[in-house]
Structure formats: structure tokens, C-alpha cells
Amino acid sequence: MGDTLNVGVIGAGKISTAYATTFARLPGVAMTRVADLDAGRAAALAGQFEGVRSGTPEELLAADDVDLVLNLTVPQAHAAVALAAIASGKHVYGEKPLAAGTTDARGVLDAAARAGLVVGCAPDTVLGTGLQTARASVEAGDIGTPLAATAFMITPGHERWHPSPEFYYQPGGGPLLDMGPYYLSALVHLLGPVRRVTGVTATPRATREVGSGPNAGTVFPVEVATHVTGVLEHTGGAVTTLMMSFDIWAGQLPRIEVYGESGSLSVPDPNNFTGPVRLFTAATQDWADVPDRAGYRDAARGYGVADLARSLRDGTSPRASGELAFHVLDVMERLLEAAATGTSLDVASTCVVPAPVPLSAVPEPGA
Ligand SMILES: NC(=O)c1ccc[n+]([C@@H]2O[C@H](COP(=O)([O-])OP(=O)(O)OC[C@H]3O[C@@H](n4cnc5c(N)ncnc54)[C@H](O)[C@@H]3O)[C@@H](O)[C@H]2O)c1
């Protein structure tokens, strides 16, 4: 790798344009190639950006002008594509979840470690000013010692807007594995890793219907829990109450709130990079906005890749790391297992909480 990390994208579906658009404006990262099982999709994405070539995944993996494979395939393909990238000597950064399950995810991390390669994983939303400002507020002691948190994600289901929504209802999908990574990564940044989980789940509907695109009206099976509730015990002692649902039309719930011994913090949507952070303290007895004090400004999907490029340059860990993504996946898998077996379960894995992001425009070496 020279001064620029060359990125080859595998999986040119719905989310790929967001990454490609970010790379076009970020220093230190360049998209050089695109591949997909669907050659037309790869060509369509590559064609929007000058100098980007499209081809098959095999061609991309064999190419000298790819340092890192950006894996934007569907969750069930995440592990296989990541392993192929590592076998080809490429670093890898994947969309969430890291893999459809922890056994596959462990295989990816072990293969990378053996090969001396780095694994990064979405979400990178938590590196933006929204969550990082909330984290800075907690770490500054604005609410005193954190005692508890809530995390709520409710939607009637992604089949209303995604033209091929089946993967959201297959293993690796569901509201927890799909949206949980945003919330759990945020909670790890705010409150540290999770040591124990309890859960209860429900699957009220056995089928769903594609709501848009050429397959609109197609009925498909639901293979995962679509309403997930749980309790997370963080290693620092705080307790999170969580609900992630594809079964709720509307509600007036916060996304994430953190409650401390001397105040409360309202945290923005962890699926976004920015958003209002609001603080209530026992001293003021009122809510006030917290101005941006940490995080990558104007960030968008792809900043996690740029942060990984930074880490390769300065010899540190990427913030959107495979280790964090593995722990988050482990927490989610144990929560579903606890629900299925009617018990509380210990979470065997842990992770280092990523370094806070200083208020900055782009990932810089040494920061
Ligand atoms: N759509 C969103 O808004 C969104 C947002 C954030 C994250 N994500 C995540 O991004 C990932 C992709 O989501 P999407 O919505 O872009 O899906 P998508 O179905 O629109 O696109 C996935 C693409 O991957 C290709 N693909 C699948 N298996 C492959 C393989 N083995 N080799 C090469 N190509 C393969 C498919 O042909 C398809 O073009 C998922 O993990 C999803 O959770 C999606």
C-alpha cells in the first residue's frame, strides 16, 4: 500500500453507491474496481466513477490494484467473500453483520490474523459527531456514573422499500442482526462491552411480501425472530433495555438514552452520523443541546474504511474493527439463544473500546 488504500468493492447493490460517493471525496482511499455476481450491477456502479474497472469477483481478487476488499454482499455471503479476500492477500472491510454467525466470523478473524491482514466492519456511523459527542459527554462526567440505557429500533419491516428484502428475514437478518450492530456498537462506545444477556423474541408473521420493484407482491418465508427484546449487562455495571422490531408501525420511543447518577443523555439515531445530543442534569433540571465536541464531521458510509487506512499508516487498530464487530455479533447471537432457551447467558467475548474520535474532518494518522 502506498499513500492511498486501493479499494475493490464486491457487491454492487443498494448500499454501494453511498460508499463510492464518499470515496470520491475522501483523501487516502480510492475505489479502483467493482465486482458482483451480477455483472451488469458492477458495470453500472463502476461506470459512474472515472477510472474504476468492473469485472468478476475472481478478477478483482487477483488484481494488483486492490489492497482492501470492501464486502457489500448480503449477510449470508459475508464470510465466504471475506475469506476469499484474505486468501488473496487483501485486507477486508465488510458491511454488518461481520458474518451470519460467530463460528463463521471467528473463522474470518483467525484467517486474517494468520495472514497478517486487517479486518474492519460496519457500522462507521458511530464515528460521526452524533455518537462521538454523546460519548465525550458521558466520559466528561456530564451525567455522572452511567447506570442504565435504553435502545429502541422499531419499523414495520424493510420489505416496504427494499426491492429484494428476503435476506432481512433469513439467518443473518432480522431486526437484531440487521439493525442491532448500530445500537450495540454505539452502546459499546458509550458503556463498554457486554458480559451477560437475557432475551425474549417473537415471530408474529410466517411470511412477508415484497413491497417494491420488479418482484413486488411476491410472498416469501420469515425464518428469523422479527420482534426482539433483551437486557444487556455491561462490564462497567450499566444495564441496557433493548427492543428491535420489524413488527411495529409507529411509536414515540427514543433511539438511545443513557441514564446516569446525576443526569440523562439523549443520543441520536446510531444509523446516522449526526444528530442532536441532549443533556439533562440534576443541577439544571432541564434539557439542553450539547454542541459537537468529537467525531468525524460530515462523515458518511466509508469513513470506517478511511479510518482503517489511517490505522494501517500509523500502526494502530481500526476503530470500526473486526474485534468490535465480533463482540457485537456474539452479544446478538447469545441474546437470541437466551430467548430460545429461556435463560440468561454469559457473553464469552469482549473487545477493546475503540479510541474516541477527535473532532476532525477526515481520519488523520496519529489521531
Ligand atoms: N440497503 C441499505 O440501506 C443498507 C444500509 C446499511 C447496510 N446495508 C448492508 O449492506 C449489505 C448489502 O445490502 P444491500 O442493501 O446493498 O443489498 P443488495 O441485495 O441490494 O446488494 C447485494 C449485492 O451483493 C451481490 N452479491 C451477493 N452475493 C455475492 C457474492 N458471493 N459475490 C459477489 N456479489 C454478491 C448481489 O448480486 C447484490 O448485487 C448488507 O449486509 C446490508 O445489511 C444495507
Side-chain angles (χ1 to χ4, degrees):
M1 179 188 148
D3 283 347
T4 300
L5 182 77
N6 287 329
V7 175
V9 174
I10 300 187
K14 238 181 150 26
I15 200 61
S16 59
T17 310
Y19 282 90
T21 307
T22 304
F23 295 149
R25 70 175 167 91
L26 261 186
V29 187
M31 181 172 79
T32 51
R33 288 177 181 259
V34 182
D36 196 294
L37 293 177
D38 180 332
R41 280 191 188 178
L45 180 66
Q48 294 172 49
F49 299 91
E50 213 183 307
V52 178
R53 298 168 68 176
S54 71
T56 65
E58 292 71 26
E59 285 166 352
L60 186 151
L61 292 173
D64 289 337
D65 60 355
V66 172
D67 303 313
L68 174 140
V69 169
L70 176 57
N71 181 2
L72 304 182
T73 61
V74 293
Q76 290 200 318
H78 284 177
V81 170
L83 286 171
I86 291 162
S88 305
K90 317 291 190 197
H91 303 294
V92 59
Y93 182 102
E95 253 304 337
K96 45 76 194 169
L98 181 54
T102 50
T103 306
D104 283 350
R106 175 48 60 201
V108 170
L109 295 188
D110 288 351
R114 281 195 301 273
L117 296 164
V118 174
V119 177
C121 188
D124 52 8
T125 47
V126 295
L127 306 182
T129 50
L131 191 277
Q132 289 296 318
T133 294
R135 174 176 168 180
S137 176
V138 170
E139 290 181 351
D142 292 350
I143 60 168
T145 303
L147 308 174
T150 49
F152 297 123
M153 191 294 299
I154 56 171
T155 165
H158 295 336
E159 68 276 21
R160 284 178 314 146
W161 58 271
H162 199 293
S164 354
E166 290 85 348
F167 74 85
Y168 288 117
Y169 296 89
Q170 293 165 356
L176 185 63
L177 265 76
D178 176 46
M179 298 301 286
Y182 298 108
Y183 289 77
L184 294 175
S185 301
L187 288 164
V188 170
H189 274 264
L190 292 164
L191 301 172
V194 174
R195 64 177 153 84
R196 195 167 174 77
V197 292
T198 308
V200 177
T201 64
T203 310
R205 283 185 280 158
T207 59
R208 298 265 174 157
E209 192 177 310
V210 180
S212 64
N215 299 325
T218 305
V219 173
F220 61 91
V222 173
E223 299 172 36
V224 293
T226 53
H227 184 84
V228 178
T229 61
V231 175
L232 318 175
E233 299 170 46
H234 294 266
T235 48
V239 176
T240 294
T241 303
L242 165 146
M243 180 173 78
M244 311 265 125
S245 184
F246 283 172
D247 289 302
I248 297 179
W249 280 104
Q252 298 186 345
L253 298 164
R255 305 297 180 137
I256 296 179
E257 288 184 349
V258 183
Y259 313 109
E261 61 182 356
S262 60
S264 297
L265 195 71
S266 171
V267 180
D269 184 344
N271 191 9
N272 295 334
F273 291 83
T274 59
V277 179
R278 308 209 74 218
L279 173 69
F280 178 102
T281 66
T284 61
Q285 288 291 309
D286 203 1
W287 290 94
D289 287 333
V290 180
D292 287 351
R293 58 164 97 151
Y296 293 131
R297 279 198 214 96
D298 302 319
R301 282 189 167 81
Y303 270 62
V305 179
D307 185 81
L308 188 153
R310 170 206 61 77
S311 79
L312 289 172
R313 271 179 223 117
D314 61 16
T316 57
S317 300
R319 288 184 170 91
S321 69
E323 184 202 9
L324 169 62
F326 181 88
H327 177 61
V328 163
L329 182 59
D330 196 15
V331 171
M332 298 190 295
E333 203 174 75
R334 294 290 76 69
L335 195 159
L336 295 175
E337 188 186 343
T341 55
T343 53
S344 294
L345 290 175
D346 288 337
V347 177
S349 68
T350 187
C351 68
V352 174
V353 178
V357 180
L359 192 60
S360 47
V362 291
E364 303 270 15

